[in-house]
Amino acid sequence: MHLERLIQLLEIIAVTGRPVSVAEVQRATDLPKPTCYRLVQSLAEQRLIDEPSGDGKYVIGERMIRVALLGKSDVDVRRCAAPLMRSAATNFNETVFLARFRDRKVEIIHIETPDDPARAFIHPGLGVRPMHACSCSKAIAAFAEPNFRDQILAGSLKAYTEHTKTTEAELRREFETIAARGFADCDQEIDIGIASVAAPVSVGNIGATFSIGAVGPIRRFGTDYRMEIGEKLKALSEKVSGAIQLCNVAEV
């Protein structure tokens, strides 16, 4: 019965779509006031709900969002992000990709290509990407905990091309640059003639769990264009984050 009541409160707070007071929750559940206040306090103590403004109104908490996100399949994430990515691929007229961080690996899980039939584009492929030599991985690593970056730097830093950064000093400087400007780029570090840019996608306060990027031939993806598209990807990443969080809350 206690668990059922907790779940009932979580459902009410989730579906409301705005911060709600304990009094509103109590009226919706018809629970005795002391019981409702005690249950809300229990949920808050476990960070399943949060009081973002300190005004006695609650929303679904970061811990609850994390639980929902960890259980969300690639299919669900793609469904949330695909419309935004499709629009971006059309606007950029370049391939747009979404990568996911899990099990200490970064994988590209979805790709949208330009709809211009006359446009030549790059398809980066799906699957795991090197942590030190791909924009989608570096965008996540630069915002990860320091000990995780240390593990990346202590691992095998394979040189895929003459442009691959393979020393700890080079990568530490690059992580600092990425953190400062908000996006990463890859200049022919995996394949000659191909460049990419990616921005981290943070979900709530749980960090950069995803990254969103664009890839194309180096003849179009010069330094200036990578900086330009990087700023656009930062704005896109916020929209993708919002879409994923909205899906999470709707399914909690």
Side-chain angles (χ1 to χ4, degrees), residues 28-239:
T29 60
D30 204 28
L31 289 169
K33 287 184 179 180
T35 300
C36 188
Y37 275 84
R38 186 171 63 252
L39 292 173
V40 167
Q41 185 62 34
S42 295
L43 291 171
E45 288 173 355
Q46 297 301 317
R47 295 183 291 113
L48 296 174
I49 59 174
D50 289 335
E51 187 184 4
S53 301
D55 58 357
K57 294 185 177 182
Y58 294 88
V59 297
I60 290 296
E62 297 295 342
R63 189 176 185 184
M64 193 72 243
I65 293 173
R66 182 191 292 272
V67 169
L69 182 59
L70 290 174
K72 188 176 289 296
S73 70
D74 288 351
V75 173
D76 293 329
V77 174
R78 289 196 295 265
R79 177 172 51 82
C80 297
L84 290 166
M85 294 176 62
R86 199 170 301 122
S87 176
T90 298
N91 292 335
F92 296 167
N93 214 11
E94 304 288 358
T95 300
V96 174
F97 58 83
L98 179 68
R100 183 176 195 170
F101 173 54
R102 60 184 163 199
D103 299 329
R104 299 198 170 274
K105 298 189 294 286
V106 173
E107 303 173 64
I108 293 179
I109 62 171
H110 188 61
I111 294 165
E112 293 287 345
T113 57
D115 58 7
D116 181 353
R119 182 71 158 182
F121 59 83
I122 300 294
H123 192 296
L126 299 171
V128 177
R129 290 296 180 268
M131 295 300 296
H132 68 293
C134 185
S135 63
C136 68
S137 301
K138 291 188 289 185
I140 292 173
F143 293 90
E145 296 177 355
N147 64 343
F148 178 55
R149 288 198 297 274
D150 291 342
Q151 290 179 29
I152 295 171
L153 297 170
S156 175
L157 304 178
K158 177 182 176 180
Y160 293 92
T161 74
E162 62 190 65
H163 300 283
T164 308
K165 297 178 179 66
T166 58
T167 70
E168 179 178 341
E170 286 180 305
L171 286 166
R172 286 196 184 279
R173 284 195 298 270
E174 184 170 24
F175 287 151
E176 289 176 2
T177 299
I178 294 166
R181 71 187 181 196
F183 61 88
D185 68 330
C186 173
D187 181 1
Q188 306 180 86
E189 294 175 39
I190 299 179
D191 293 292
I192 295 295
I194 298 175
S196 66
V197 191
V201 178
S202 297
V203 180
N205 292 327
I206 66 174
T209 311
F210 301 90
S211 63
I212 188 87
V215 60
I218 193 64
R219 61 184 173 82
R220 291 200 299 263
F221 273 63
T223 301
D224 291 343
Y225 184 62
R226 293 200 303 274
M227 298 305 103
E228 176 187 336
I229 205 166
E231 293 297 330
K232 294 178 180 178
L233 286 169
K234 286 164 61 176
L236 177 60
S237 75
E238 293 182 7
K239 295 179 181 179

